[in-house]
Amino acid sequence: MKKFLKYFILSVVLLIVLVLVYVLATFPPIMTGMAAKTMCSCVFVMNREPQSVVAQEFQVFPGMPSLPYEVNRQDSSVSVKMFWKTGKAIYRKGLGCTLLAQMDEEQVRAQAIKRPQPALVDQDTIAWPSGNQLRDTLLQGVDYSKIREAVNQAFADSDPENPVFTHGVAIIYDGHLIAEQYATGYDYNTRMMGWSMTKSITNALVGILVKEGKLKVEEPAPVAEWKNDERSKITLNNLLQASSGLEWSESYFSPTADFHQMFIKSDDKAAYAASRKLKYEPGTFFQYSSGTTNILSRIIRQTTGDSAYYRFPYEKLFHRIGMNTAIMEPDASGTFVASSYSFASARDWARFGLLYLNDGVWNGERILPEGWVKYSTTPAPAAKARQYGAQIWLNQGDPNDPKIVEYPGLPSEALIFDGFEKNFVVIVPSKKLVVVRLGVTHNKNFSLANLVNGVIAALPH
């Protein structure tokens, strides 16, 4: 019995040691990397105060709010420490923030990137939607008191211990901006995180290259690593529809998941994603994946060439539809992290939604190819609940069980750009409606359905 007890105790001690080793080996890089990149972008891209970032974004993980950080305004960087590990992100004007992982900081700062130029227009002198001059008369048939009630509710904290931290809401009806509201410290010029709403921007950029005849969605994806193996069957369409068949784990709360291995530990996020093995036949299995979106970003880079790549989103999309606050951030390899790292004001996110509501046409000019919006919002065959098109979320529901829907309470026709922390652009075509909600919510106290349905109830029937 004593011998058994001895071995049992030794086994327990060994297990505890192994758990500690695992925790110490995996959590510090993830925690410090996430914290440094988030703080850097919030401070230098959004012009936030560090304390607000700790109080809001850092609440995503237990222990993160207590991590020591340094915001260096001389070299525009942020460093965060946990035990022996330091995570660092650097800000470069015109490019936003980049997390350092494998390359030396000097290498990254020395990159010869031709940075995008700001739009040379004063939007305050231009009429909406391309500018900020709004109509001074109310639309007939709209119940503005109900609109205000729905918008106010989106900012209300039902549980003071778990605030929703809504930063901005913008409402477009029939092409007009009919309501907007902002938290203290934010306004219609404030850039706000898009997180995975960036995937829908990637959809638009691919669409523009399709319109220019430089890409075809049904052709094999031009990925060098796949030329001589079974992954060569993966098409651009498979990548767009998150149905590549690549092995992938999109877990935000598992430190060993592909998600964190790519975002935190890899300088070349597209290369990491492209290195994954094929697990399913392409087109047969839906797997939401930030990895495949970053592969798309590298394909865009290869297609345009580096001399045009960094200007491409701005010249071909953002500045053409008045999204002049928009910015996309690259990784250390120089490829935009097109799955997650974009920022824009609430009005600019609303403009982006309006582009899709109007079938890719802006003020009479076709930005996206004809039929692109229909293609992008047609359910992927592998998405059995008809919840995903091409980098755009849907809400059509499982045809065998309509109760199985991605966004309970939202109209089945809704098109959704969806980002982490409950950031949304919701398009309801039959209502000529675009609803934008931006913020930092880590709980269930915010209801997107209440906001959208509250607005719909106020519109003419």
Side-chain angles (χ1 to χ4, degrees):
M1 184 65 183
K2 289 183 178 179
K3 190 175 182 179
F4 170 79
L5 187 59
K6 176 182 177 182
Y7 282 119
F8 176 76
I9 293 172
L10 285 173
S11 298
V12 171
V13 171
L14 179 60
L15 179 61
I16 292 172
V17 170
L18 290 174
V19 170
L20 285 173
V21 169
Y22 169 79
V23 170
L24 292 175
T26 56
F27 278 91
I30 302 303
M31 296 278 277
T32 58
M34 286 185 62
K37 168 62 181 65
T38 300
M39 178 68 79
C40 183
S41 294
C42 287
V43 170
F44 293 108
V45 178
M46 297 177 65
N47 295 317
R48 300 255 307 274
E49 290 300 320
Q51 295 84 350
S52 75
V53 184
V54 173
Q56 297 183 30
E57 280 81 359
F58 278 20
Q59 300 301 319
V60 65
F61 282 133
M64 188 177 283
S66 62
L67 293 178
Y69 66 87
E70 178 187 0
V71 176
N72 187 326
R73 297 189 182 274
Q74 278 66 51
D75 70 357
S76 300
S77 70
V78 172
S79 299
V80 179
K81 292 184 178 181
M82 183 178 184
F83 302 135
W84 67 89
K85 180 63 179 178
T86 299
K88 187 172 185 179
I90 61 172
Y91 170 78
R92 292 172 290 173
K93 188 175 180 181
L95 297 177
C97 290
T98 297
L99 178 65
L100 304 174
Q102 298 161 306
M103 296 170 60
D104 292 335
E105 180 178 344
E106 292 74 19
Q107 287 180 276
V108 180
R109 289 192 181 275
Q111 289 172 344
I113 293 176
K114 192 168 184 179
R115 305 179 189 188
Q117 298 299 311
L120 300 177
V121 297
D122 181 0
Q123 285 185 286
D124 289 338
T125 66
I126 302 171
W128 175 268
S130 293
N132 288 324
Q133 286 189 351
L134 307 179
R135 60 179 290 154
D136 55 7
T137 56
L138 301 181
L139 295 178
Q140 283 193 334
V142 176
D143 188 331
Y144 283 87
S145 63
K146 284 186 178 179
I147 296 281
R148 285 193 297 273
E149 182 180 346
V151 172
N152 286 338
Q153 188 60 38
F155 287 80
D157 291 323
S158 59
D159 178 6
E161 296 296 318
N162 294 287
V164 296
F165 292 126
T166 297
H167 293 164
V169 170
I171 311 294
I172 294 180
Y173 169 64
D174 197 17
H176 300 282
L177 182 66
I178 61 170
E180 62 182 337
Q181 186 168 314
Y182 300 96
T184 302
Y186 299 81
D187 61 29
Y188 69 82
N189 286 313
T190 304
R191 291 190 180 105
M192 302 189 211
M193 286 185 176
W195 288 116
S196 286
M197 294 200 297
T198 314
K199 291 179 173 69
S200 300
I201 291 176
T202 303
N203 166 279
L205 298 179
V206 172
I208 290 168
L209 290 175
V210 169
K211 178 171 172 281
E212 294 177 352
K214 296 175 180 177
L215 289 175
K216 294 182 179 179
V217 296
E218 294 301 337
E219 290 187 351
V223 177
E225 295 95 322
W226 302 347
K227 280 186 177 180
N228 300 314
D229 62 40
E230 58 186 353
R231 296 173 296 180
S232 63
K233 298 182 294 184
I234 300 172
T235 65
L236 195 64
N237 178 59
N238 296 147
L239 294 175
L240 285 162
Q241 293 186 336
S243 308
S244 68
L246 293 173
E247 189 174 48
W248 187 261
S249 53
E250 183 89 3
S251 174
Y252 307 142
F253 301 101
S254 171
T256 58
D258 287 313
F259 179 86
H260 288 304
Q261 300 306 306
M262 177 183 71
F263 274 99
I264 307 301
K265 296 185 177 181
S266 174
D267 279 336
D268 190 333
K269 304 184 190 329
Y272 176 86
S275 73
R276 299 301 88 193
K277 296 178 180 179
L278 194 68
K279 187 175 181 180
Y280 305 96
E281 183 70 18
T284 65
F285 184 79
F286 173 71
Q287 170 63 68
Y288 180 73
S289 169
S290 293
T292 52
T293 310
N294 288 322
I295 295 172
L296 288 168
S297 185
R298 190 177 68 172
I299 290 171
I300 295 169
R301 181 179 181 180
Q302 293 168 347
T303 303
T304 62
D306 277 7
S307 62
Y309 177 65
Y310 302 100
R311 303 192 311 273
F312 178 71
Y314 300 87
E315 294 178 355
K316 295 299 181 76
L317 177 62
F318 297 150
H319 294 168
R320 293 176 78 177
I321 67 172
M323 286 184 70
N324 293 347
T325 67
I327 187 169
M328 293 180 72
E329 298 175 322
D331 63 16
S333 78
T335 302
F336 289 125
V337 186
S339 64
S340 312
Y341 294 163
S342 70
F343 301 78
S345 69
R347 286 190 181 184
D348 279 355
W349 284 115
R351 290 179 172 104
F352 188 54
L354 185 59
L355 175 68
Y356 280 76
L357 179 65
N358 291 336
D359 192 38
V361 175
W362 191 263
N363 285 343
E365 179 187 6
R366 178 158 288 286
I367 306 297
L368 305 178
E370 189 170 355
W372 185 256
V373 172
K374 182 178 181 180
Y375 156 73
S376 302
T377 58
T378 298
K384 303 306 180 185
R386 298 186 296 178
Q387 75 273 38
Y388 206 72
Q391 305 292 293
I392 295 173
W393 287 95
L394 310 174
N395 203 42
Q396 295 185 22
D398 188 332
N400 298 315
D401 187 353
K403 294 179 181 178
I404 300 176
V405 294
E406 190 68 27
Y407 302 89
L410 286 188
S412 61
E413 64 171 307
L415 317 175
I416 302 104
F417 310 153
D418 185 338
F420 182 52
E421 297 173 331
K422 294 183 171 55
N423 290 283
F424 299 103
V425 175
V426 179
I427 304 161
V428 186
S430 70
K431 301 298 182 182
K432 298 181 286 186
L433 178 66
V434 178
V435 175
V436 176
R437 187 274 178 178
L438 301 166
V440 182
T441 303
H442 299 132
N443 53 59
K444 297 181 179 180
N445 294 336
F446 169 75
S447 172
L448 178 64
N450 285 350
L451 172 60
V452 174
N453 292 326
V455 172
I456 289 175
L459 303 180
H461 297 291

